[in-house]
Amino acid sequence: QVQLVESGGGLVQAGDSLRLSCAGTGRTQRNYNIGWFRQSPGQEREFVAGLRWPGRATIYADSVKGRFTVSRDTAKNMVYLQMNNLKTDDTAVYYCAEDPGGILSSIRYYANYDYWGQGTQVTVSS
């Protein structure tokens, strides 16, 4: 059973940066997708960024491209979301999720993900 735990959220001002972390345990698949999603009140959960392992493929939502970077530290079983130049529209609960055996073309679709963390709140004030 894969378990994911996010951390690193907080309250920041517009233009600031945050780095979210996702710690994964219990992983048995060699191939998988890791996705970052976010959800704000009254809104659907939306894809933010994702990466596929093995390989270096990363995909970003248009709204965060050029500002957010997803990366991983294999030795530590950690995935990170570096968020720069934050905007008030980035305010949401952020989740990391894993799709064991996932393929790159499915990385944006939250219904494909089997495992989710508990979420971490990011609030960006103006």
Side-chain angles (χ1 to χ4, degrees), residues 65-79:
K65 203 172 292 184
R67 300 188 298 123
F68 290 12
T69 303
V70 59
S71 62
R72 63 172 298 129
D73 184 329
T74 307
K76 296 181 179 179
N77 279 328
M78 297 290 291
V79 176

